[in-house]
Amino acid sequence: MRVLKFGGSSLADGARIGAVTAIAAEAAAGDKTAVVLSAMQGVTDLLIAAAREAANGPDGGRQALAEIRARHLAAVRYLFAAPDQPAVIAPLTILLNELEEILHGIELIRECSPRTLDLVMSFGERLSCILAAAHLRARGLDPLLLDARELILTDDTFGSAAVDFQATYARIRSRFAAINGVVVIPGFIGSTAGGVTTTLGRNGSDYTASLIGAGAAAGVIEIWTDVDGVLSADPRIVPDAFILPEISYEEAMELSFFGARVLHPYSMLPAVEMGIPIRIRNSRNPQAPGTIIGAPRHRSGSAAAAVRLITGIASIEGISLINIQGGGMIGIPGIAARVFSALARERINIIMISQASSEHTISLVLRSGEAARALAALESELALELSSRRIQALERIDELIIVSVIGENMRGKPGLAGRLFTALGEAGVNVLAIAQGSAERNISIVIGENEHALALRAVHAAFLADPAAPPAPAAPAARPAANPGAERGEA
């Protein structure tokens, strides 16, 4: 069995939906196939806007609803001949009318609870599945349209529900045991034991695909996006970045956390636990082999992979660093616990920590949007130590980035860190903080934003460049403007 998941950018309009059904039809010709779909690109945002407008604004969500309706009807007109359109428009209209009634209810009570918002957001995936299933029928298949809410059981944490894995897998096994053809399933949604609609949070459709694959013992889970695979570095900064043919689950999780936007680490867990390989594919270039993510036994061990000490380079922008230092911290138990407890109370996530062995300094790395709150929380918690000079005034440094060098082959390799810092030093990059876990799979450094391109190109040239390739051009003074996309594979 194959599980194929298509994200929003692969379902942007009628033309893209047609390309998706062509891929799904080809897959279904040879294997039992589950097709997991996101909403059409931008539709979830429109649904959230409609709910908020209904609760707060005079529009009542009507403008957003009209745009949702128009986009789906435009897709019908593109995909189907005129005589066939009414049969597809009818179920779409029923669902859109139901959505309109819910928005009207929100408008009447001037409130949209998390529970109601989850119900509203569920319509995007359900609408795209109606379109795709109808077009698969037009291609001569007989797809079964399954409601994910009948399969995925969750708690009632609306917005990011926790899955009951045992019950969910039992439902999936039972339902798929009798299925031999192609199944179309909306991603992102589940339901409570009482049948109340929930959503699975960020990257929810990837999570759905992983759950379906794990529950049905799939041979592979394919995540179809709009890039050819996972890249060794951001190609907007490193011109000679290349597609990684194979990476391990652990490497994928590290790369995902540090900037690669193909998969969220949590969404992979069901597949990882069952040892199911995940392949990243491009719906705009289905001939490309993509990147396969799996356990070591799924990796070919090619000569090219063997000689590379690192797999990829990733980075996180918009970073700040807070330094806590003072002689009064040395040998005093509980200082670190107080620091982390104060930040936890403010729900501030610490991305990276660095502490000198002298215990004189603790460096905390976090997102810049949380730096002001973090600084205030720490000044309050450590007020006595600050007033008595046992701790010096806290230092905050902004406009930083984290660069991470990631790879399974880094473990147990003497001299790798030396090569890394030699490359950075020769490029003139100043390192403010360093962190490395005992797994030796990741070395992370904090540098200034203005040295981003310089650092990535220097490290890529030192570890990943093709010896026969010409040298990369000199790094610009500042990073090129980003081109944000719904689904990107660059690390």
Side-chain angles (χ1 to χ4, degrees):
M1 175 177 166
R2 294 168 65 183
V3 177
L4 281 61
K5 178 266 176 180
F6 296 91
S9 66
S10 298
L11 300 160
D13 51 30
R16 299 309 314 146
I17 292 171
V20 162
T21 59
I23 294 168
E26 183 178 353
D31 299 289
K32 182 192 293 189
T33 306
V35 180
V36 177
L37 301 180
S38 296
M40 290 178 69
Q41 188 172 39
V43 166
T44 300
D45 289 340
L46 286 170
L47 288 165
I48 293 170
R52 288 175 177 166
E53 282 294 323
N56 303 315
D59 175 70
R62 293 175 185 83
Q63 184 175 348
L65 178 61
E67 186 173 346
I68 293 168
R69 191 186 300 272
R71 287 190 58 188
H72 286 84
L73 293 181
V76 172
R77 288 192 292 271
Y78 182 91
L79 292 168
F80 300 93
D84 300 324
Q85 291 175 12
V88 184
I89 291 173
L92 289 174
T93 301
I94 291 170
L95 210 54
L96 288 164
N97 288 345
E98 181 185 340
L99 173 60
E100 186 175 18
E101 291 176 3
I102 294 168
L103 293 172
H104 182 57
I106 294 171
E107 183 181 17
L108 290 175
I109 63 173
R110 289 291 189 267
E111 180 184 1
C112 183
S113 67
R115 169 175 170 164
T116 302
L117 184 60
D118 270 11
L119 179 59
V120 170
M121 287 193 293
S122 75
F123 280 84
E125 279 71 17
R126 293 155 65 191
L127 288 164
S128 64
C129 283
I130 288 174
L131 276 172
H135 201 243
L136 284 168
R137 289 189 195 96
R139 289 184 178 278
L141 280 76
D142 185 21
L144 174 64
L145 181 54
L146 276 182
D147 192 332
R149 294 173 294 181
E150 299 174 4
L151 302 174
I152 299 175
L153 184 67
T154 74
D155 67 5
D156 59 358
T157 307
F158 299 104
S160 186
V163 173
D164 181 335
F165 293 100
Q166 184 174 355
T168 295
Y169 290 160
R171 290 181 178 191
I172 293 170
R173 279 194 299 270
S174 174
R175 197 72 177 85
F176 276 80
I179 295 173
N180 291 313
V182 59
V183 183
V184 179
I185 306 168
F188 183 55
I189 61 176
S191 70
T192 67
V196 178
T197 299
T198 57
T199 60
L200 303 179
R202 179 184 174 187
N203 292 83
S205 293
D206 289 346
Y207 196 18
T208 302
S210 193
L211 289 166
I212 296 295
V220 66
I221 298 168
E222 298 178 6
I223 306 296
W224 289 81
T225 173
D226 56 6
V227 291
D228 284 345
V230 181
L231 284 134
S232 60
D234 187 337
R236 296 167 299 170
I237 300 176
V238 182
D240 54 348
F242 55 88
I243 298 296
L244 300 168
E246 299 174 337
I247 57 177
S248 71
Y249 294 127
E250 291 77 10
E251 288 169 334
M253 288 183 180
E254 294 274 7
L255 289 167
S256 294
F257 179 78
F258 284 97
R261 301 182 184 183
V262 174
L263 284 174
H264 188 272
Y266 190 70
S267 70
M268 290 192 286
L269 288 179
V272 173
E273 290 174 350
M274 299 294 180
I276 301 170
I278 302 168
R279 189 181 290 274
I280 308 300
R281 305 286 299 276
N282 188 352
S283 64
R284 297 174 185 269
N285 183 20
Q287 290 74 36
T291 299
I292 190 163
I293 303 168
R297 65 178 178 275
H298 293 300
R299 304 178 71 183
S300 65
S302 64
V307 298
R308 291 195 179 102
L309 292 179
I310 72 171
T311 297
I313 311 163
S315 57
I316 304 177
E317 301 175 74
I319 294 299
S320 294
L321 182 146
I322 295 176
N323 281 325
I324 307 168
Q325 54 188 330
M329 296 167 55
I330 299 173
I332 306 299
I335 290 288
R338 289 173 58 197
V339 166
F340 298 131
S341 295
L343 297 176
R345 286 194 295 270
E346 294 294 321
R347 302 185 67 81
I348 293 169
N349 180 51
I350 302 301
I351 300 173
M352 179 175 146
I353 303 158
S354 180
Q355 181 177 16
S357 59
S358 66
E359 304 180 59
H360 182 266
T361 305
I362 299 175
S363 298
L364 307 173
V365 182
L366 64 163
R367 297 196 181 273
S368 295
E370 299 178 325
R373 285 194 300 120
L375 194 63
L378 292 171
E379 287 174 340
S380 175
E381 176 65 33
L382 302 172
L384 181 61
E385 287 80 4
L386 288 164
S387 64
S388 64
R389 298 297 191 186
R390 283 185 285 169
I391 292 179
Q392 299 171 20
L394 305 183
E395 180 186 23
R396 171 181 166 184
I397 306 174
D398 296 320
E399 297 182 352
L400 305 175
I401 65 165
I402 299 174
V403 173
S404 289
V405 176
I406 294 161
E408 291 283 354
N409 290 337
M410 292 168 58
R411 289 184 289 179
K413 297 297 191 298
L416 185 142
R419 284 181 60 187
L420 171 63
F421 293 110
T422 296
L424 293 169
E426 290 177 348
V429 176
N430 181 50
V431 177
L432 280 75
I434 307 162
Q436 179 180 16
S438 60
E440 300 183 74
R441 193 181 289 119
N442 176 329
I443 299 175
S444 296
I445 61 170
V446 178
I447 62 174
E449 283 183 350
N450 61 330
E451 297 177 323
H452 189 185
L454 200 62
L456 262 64
R457 292 185 179 189
V459 175
H460 200 275
F463 288 95
L464 294 168
D466 182 348
R479 176 174 181 170
N483 178 25
E487 299 173 279
R488 295 195 295 254
E490 73 272 6

